[in-house]
Amino acid sequence: YGEVCDLYTLAAETGDIDLYLANYADDGVQMPPDEPSRIGSEQIRAAMEPALAQFDARCPIYPQIAELTGDWAFGTCDWSLSLTPKEGGETTTFDGKGLDVLKRQADGSWKYYISCWSYNGPPTVE
C-alpha cells in the first residue's frame, strides 16, 4: 500500500497527469469531499488535469492500516496537501484522511480501484 501511495505523491508533486492516472484502474473511482464521484479514467483526468497544471503541490501520504485479501487490498491513510498557484500566491493546506480499495491487475501490479477522502477541518492559508 505504501508503494502505491508513494507513486501517487510523486505524480501529484511532479504534475504528471499520465503517471497520476496510471495509479488508478481504468474503471477506478474517486470519491472526493463536496463533489460528485469521478468514475473511470476520463472523469478523473477531466477533474485532475487542470489542478495539476495550475498548482505546485506537496502531498505526503502516511499509510496507517493495510489489509490484503486475495486480489483486493484495503488501506487507510492520513495525508496533507499544500497547493501553491504556479503563477504565485498564497499556499492553501488541507489535512485529511482516506480509505482506499486497491485491486491487483493482470500484470500483478496494484492500482487504486476506489479512493475516498475527507478533511479533518477547514484548510489553512499562508
Side-chain angles (χ1 to χ4, degrees), residues 53-121:
Q54 294 171 9
F55 295 96
D56 287 321
R58 174 123 172 75
C59 182
I61 300 172
Y62 309 99
Q64 299 299 311
I65 299 171
E67 295 291 332
L68 176 66
T69 179
D71 289 335
W72 297 94
F74 305 89
T76 64
C77 64
D78 293 323
W79 55 266
S80 177
L81 173 63
S82 295
L83 298 173
T84 305
K86 288 185 178 180
E87 295 181 4
E90 297 177 317
T91 298
T92 303
T93 301
F94 303 85
D95 288 301
K97 59 207 161 279
L99 172 62
D100 299 309
V101 177
L102 284 72
K103 186 176 183 182
R104 188 187 330 255
Q105 305 299 294
D107 66 1
S109 67
W110 290 92
K111 294 190 178 189
Y112 290 104
Y113 182 67
I114 299 172
S115 183
C116 180
W117 64 95
S118 62
Y119 306 123
N120 291 327

Side-chain angles (χ1 to χ4, degrees), residues 29-39 43-44 47 115 117:
V29 177
Q30 285 186 329
M31 300 175 73
D34 304 323
E35 295 181 34
S37 294
R38 305 165 187 157
I39 302 170
Q43 288 185 10
I44 294 172
S115 183
W117 64 95

